[in-house]
């Protein structure tokens, strides 16, 4: 096909890409004396009428688009050569190379440049998504975004290309025109052939992650389909949070529109005010209490298990035994106390002896009743108590305490002293000797607070030996809490 002239007008210069039944050429329009792009769909054994209709629809879509950042439709005609028959779509040629080629050539993009690129593409998406019906590109990726030469402080002019192919353009049930995407950049819902404007936001987010990390999204670790990029980049916490929202695997948890995404990028504080659907794990007994400047994490006493029931039995029996032991001491103590009060005016040596016995019995009684109350408190705590962590965003302080029937006790306070910088999740691990539960670490500069995957209740046996009972957080609970804290603080999550 090289050097051939199609329609007595388009001279083919070079083959740019080749797929089954489809080729893309760089050509020269001899009439206008300018370069153009030719997309050729050829007849072969795999071509059917439906594929032609899709190719024809792509041409009509481009005819309806008038945006300087998108190639313009120029021509569409039937190809009839001795060895090639098919259809040709002609578009304007853009003198720029793709973001993917920029990366391969060794170019590194700063956060400022990536944000500038993001704003430019979002402006294009706003235009496409506000069409009737909305046009969902569905194949946004580095190779489909062209970047022109740098100009002053600008990263370069951005163009979005490739609005269709024989195999991947369709119309969904809502009338929205969609294009199948590329693995690694596709939103999860696209695997079920369901695309919305939010799908383009995911693909754009994945593309930007490629720019800041230099790695294909599929090469990065993921947690429940969420791309984990924070560990290999140094972008700001606000931009990291914005990218996570863009690439949230749950479609409803992304921005509602490209316009909203652009506004949040320009004003990061808006991200905190945009509702995010973060589902609490089914069956979890952990709850959150959110206020403007404080967030409380409420944990149940323990998981109910065989050990819990044994502990309840132990505390109740301990309280009963201590109570039975305290009664023989308490009754004489009361008798001696009333007797001393009654005979205080008639002071004699018996009163001194009674007073000594009273002090001894009183001390034993108080100690035994103290054990009774302590065991009863532990018993009731296991049934009705809560463990609470309360985080104050203004003072960067974390209070930890127990609550039972509205009463608070064993309260401790840790001041982190600086603004929260990131949330870190340490995944669970196991060895032959022990199991290390997953945990969340809240970082503020060099200070940190660790939320373990287990919590202890400080009860005491009769001989003052501390007993430890745990509520083990599950991995879904850890992920949910980390996401909630990340969104509340407006910082990124780092998984380890």
């Amino acid at each position: 096909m090289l050097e051939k002239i199609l329609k007595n007008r388009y001279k083919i210069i070079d083959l740019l890409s080749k797929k089954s039944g489809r080729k893309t050429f760089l050509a020269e329009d001899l009439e206008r004396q300018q370069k153009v792009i030719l997309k050729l769909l050829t007849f072969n054994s795999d071509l059917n009428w439906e594929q032609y209709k899709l190719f024809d629809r792509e041409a009509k879509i481009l005819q309806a688009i008038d945006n300087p950042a998108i190639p313009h439709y120029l021509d569409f005609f039937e190809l009839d050569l001795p060895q090639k028959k098919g259809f040709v779509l002609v578009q304007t040629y853009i003198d720029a190379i793709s973001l993917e080629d920029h990366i391969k050539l060794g170019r590194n993009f700063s956060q400022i440049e990536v944000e500038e690129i993001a704003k430019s593409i979002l402006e294009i998406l706003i235009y496409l998504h506000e069409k009737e019906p909305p046009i969902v590109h569905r194949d946004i990726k580095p190779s489909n975004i062209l970047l022109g030469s740098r100009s002053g402080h600008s990263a370069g002019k951005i163009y979005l290309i490739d609005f269709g192919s024989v195999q991947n353009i369709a119309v969904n049930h809502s009338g929205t025109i969609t294009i199948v995407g590329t693995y690694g950049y596709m939103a999860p819902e696209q695997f079920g052939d369901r695309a919305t404007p939010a799908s383009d936001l995911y693909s754009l987010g994945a593309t930007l992650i490629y720019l800041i990390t230099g790695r294909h999204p599929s090469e990065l670790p993921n947690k429940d389909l969420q791309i984990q990029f924070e560990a290999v980049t140094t972008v700001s916490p606000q931009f990291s949070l914005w990218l996570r929202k863009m690439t949230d695997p749950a479609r409803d948890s992304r921005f509602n529109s490209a316009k909203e995404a652009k506004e949040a990028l320009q004003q990061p504080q808006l991200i905190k005010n945009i509702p995010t659907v973060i589902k609490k794990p089914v069956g979890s007994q952990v709850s959150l209490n959110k206020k403007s400047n404080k967030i409380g994490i409420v944990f149940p006493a323990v998981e109910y298990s065989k050990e819990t029931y044994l502990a309840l039995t132990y505390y109740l029996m301990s309280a009963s035994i201590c109570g039975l032991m305290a009664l023989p001491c308490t009754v004489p103590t009361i008798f001696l106390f009333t007797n001393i009060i009654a005979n205080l005016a008639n002071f004699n040596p018996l009163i001194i002896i009674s007073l000594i016995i009273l002090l001894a019995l009183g001390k034993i009684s108080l100690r035994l009743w103290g054990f009774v109350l302590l065991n009863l408190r532990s018993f009731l705590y296991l049934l009705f108590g809560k463990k609470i962590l309360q985080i104050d965003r203004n003072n960067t302080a974390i209070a930890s305490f127990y609550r039972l029937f509205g009463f608070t006790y064993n309260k401790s306070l840790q001041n982190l002293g600086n603004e929260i910088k990131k949330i870190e999740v340490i995944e669970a691990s196991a060895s032959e000797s022990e199991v290390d539960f997953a945990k969340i670490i809240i970082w503020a500069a060099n200070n940190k607070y660790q939320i373990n995957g287990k919590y202890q209740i400080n009860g005491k046996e009769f001989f003052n030996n501390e007993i430890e009972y745990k509520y083990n957080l599950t991995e879904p609970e850890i992920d949910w809490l980390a996401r909630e804290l990340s969104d509340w603080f407006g910082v990124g999550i780092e998984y380890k």
Side-chain angles (χ1 to χ4, degrees), residues 432-443:
E432 294 182 0
S433 57
E434 61 180 356
V435 175
D436 189 10
F437 291 92
K439 56 185 71 74
I440 298 171
I441 299 177
I442 302 173
W443 282 95

Side-chain angles (χ1 to χ4, degrees), residues 120-296:
S120 297
I121 301 173
L122 285 170
E123 288 174 359
I124 300 172
L125 293 181
I126 291 171
Y127 169 81
L128 294 174
H129 294 169
E130 290 183 352
K131 300 285 285 184
E132 286 294 337
I135 298 175
V136 181
H137 188 283
R138 206 179 175 185
D139 199 18
I140 294 175
K141 57 184 178 180
S143 61
N144 282 341
I145 299 170
L146 303 185
L147 179 62
S149 301
R150 291 175 175 168
S151 175
H153 297 291
S154 172
K157 175 68 176 175
I158 284 291
Y159 303 90
L160 182 61
I161 64 171
D162 199 352
F163 277 73
S165 69
V166 173
Q167 299 176 342
N168 60 18
I169 185 167
V171 178
N172 68 14
H173 297 297
S174 65
T176 300
I177 300 169
T178 62
I179 298 175
V180 174
T182 302
Y183 179 72
Y185 299 97
M186 289 174 59
E189 66 269 13
Q190 287 183 244
F191 290 97
D193 197 26
R194 298 186 305 274
T196 68
S199 305
D200 278 347
L201 298 184
Y202 180 96
S203 298
L204 172 56
T207 297
L208 300 175
I209 288 173
Y210 172 76
L211 294 185
I212 62 174
T213 63
R215 300 186 190 180
H216 190 281
S218 64
E219 297 174 354
L220 295 170
N222 74 79
K223 186 74 173 180
D224 297 327
L225 300 181
Q226 177 84 59
I227 303 171
Q228 305 302 314
F229 61 88
E230 289 92 340
V232 293
T233 185
T234 56
V235 296
S236 68
Q238 293 80 7
F239 189 49
S240 176
L241 177 62
W242 185 85
L243 284 173
R244 283 200 303 107
K245 193 168 182 66
M246 288 282 285
T247 55
D248 195 302
R251 180 173 53 187
D252 294 338
S253 295
R254 294 175 217 143
F255 294 103
N256 293 321
S257 65
K259 186 176 181 179
E260 185 180 80
K262 183 184 175 185
E263 290 174 351
L265 181 60
Q266 294 171 326
Q267 304 176 64
Q269 67 273 17
L270 294 179
I271 300 177
K272 299 175 184 177
N273 300 323
I274 298 172
T276 301
V277 178
I278 304 176
K279 294 184 179 180
K280 174 181 174 180
V282 177
S284 174
Q285 299 179 60
V286 180
S287 60
L288 290 175
N289 294 326
K290 292 183 180 179
K291 297 181 180 179
S292 58
N293 295 316
K294 291 184 179 180
I295 184 171

